[in-house]
Amino acid sequence: FCYDKSLILSLGDEVQILALYGENKGFQQIASPVLVKTISQGNDVTTKSGTKVEKTAAEIYETLTAAGMTEAKVYDTYGAQYLAISGYVVLNGGYTYLATSADGTGCVSLYANKGLKASDYVGCEVVVYGFARGCSIGSAYLTIQVQSIQAAETDANKAAVELGKVSFEKEYE
C-alpha cells in the first residue's frame, strides 16, 4: 500500500519505484515515493493464498474482537490477501465503513482512491473488493484499500433503485 494519492495506478500494474519502507499499525506500506515507472498493466494478481478471501463484515468484526487478538495476528490473517467483504455501507463521522447491518456500527473502514465513492452506496448491501492496509484492535475496525465495489443482488437494493434513492449504473473500479 502507498498513501500517496497522487499516484494513479490500478490493480495488476507492475511498477518500479524509489521509496521508503513504512508501516500503518503493523501493516506494510510504501512511504514517500519519489519515482514511479509503469512497466506493464493488467497483470494477474497473485496473493499469498493465490485466491480472494470471501468474508462478511460480521466475520471481520468477530476476528477483531476475539480474545487475545493483536494487530500482528490480524496482519497474519488478512495481510497480502485479496478480500471480498460483504456488508452494508454506513457513514460515521465523515468516514465510510462496512457494517453488519444498514444501521450498525462500521467494522471495515473503506479507503478508496479518487473516483471511487463508497458513499454512493450508503444504506445498501455491497461486496467490497480490495486489500487490508491497517487495523485498530481498540476501535475494532480493519481498513481496506478498495479496488472495486459491487452492489449485492438483494430485494432491498432493487427497491432503493426503483424509489430513486440510489443508482448503481456507475461501475467503480
Side-chain angles (χ1 to χ4, degrees), residues 74-138:
V74 174
Y75 180 78
D76 287 345
T77 303
Y78 297 119
Q81 297 286 357
Y82 185 56
L83 301 170
I85 305 172
S86 59
Y88 294 84
V89 177
V90 298
L91 288 177
N92 185 358
Y95 295 97
T96 311
Y97 294 90
L98 269 188
T100 57
S101 66
D103 57 358
T105 301
C107 62
V108 179
S109 176
L110 304 178
Y111 184 89
N113 292 331
K114 297 175 186 175
L116 184 64
K117 296 182 181 178
S119 59
D120 286 351
Y121 293 94
V122 170
C124 295
E125 189 173 358
V126 299
V127 179
V128 173
Y129 299 90
F131 292 88
R133 62 168 286 252
C135 70
S136 172
I137 296 301

Side-chain angles (χ1 to χ4, degrees), residues 16-35:
Q16 182 179 35
I17 62 169
L18 296 174
L20 300 173
Y21 173 84
E23 287 189 3
N24 178 17
K25 300 200 179 203
F27 283 63
Q28 301 171 357
Q29 66 181 30
I30 298 167
S32 306
V34 293
L35 173 69

Side-chain angles (χ1 to χ4, degrees), residues 108-171:
V108 179
S109 176
L110 304 178
Y111 184 89
N113 292 331
K114 297 175 186 175
L116 184 64
K117 296 182 181 178
S119 59
D120 286 351
Y121 293 94
V122 170
C124 295
E125 189 173 358
V126 299
V127 179
V128 173
Y129 299 90
F131 292 88
R133 62 168 286 252
C135 70
S136 172
I137 296 301
S139 299
Y141 70 83
L142 179 70
T143 302
I144 298 297
Q145 179 65 44
V146 178
Q147 298 299 317
S148 65
I149 300 171
Q150 180 180 27
E153 292 289 327
T154 65
D155 290 339
N157 283 352
K158 291 175 186 173
V161 170
E162 288 175 12
L163 292 172
K165 291 186 175 183
V166 68
S167 171
F168 299 127
E169 293 175 9
K170 300 175 190 173
E171 184 173 315

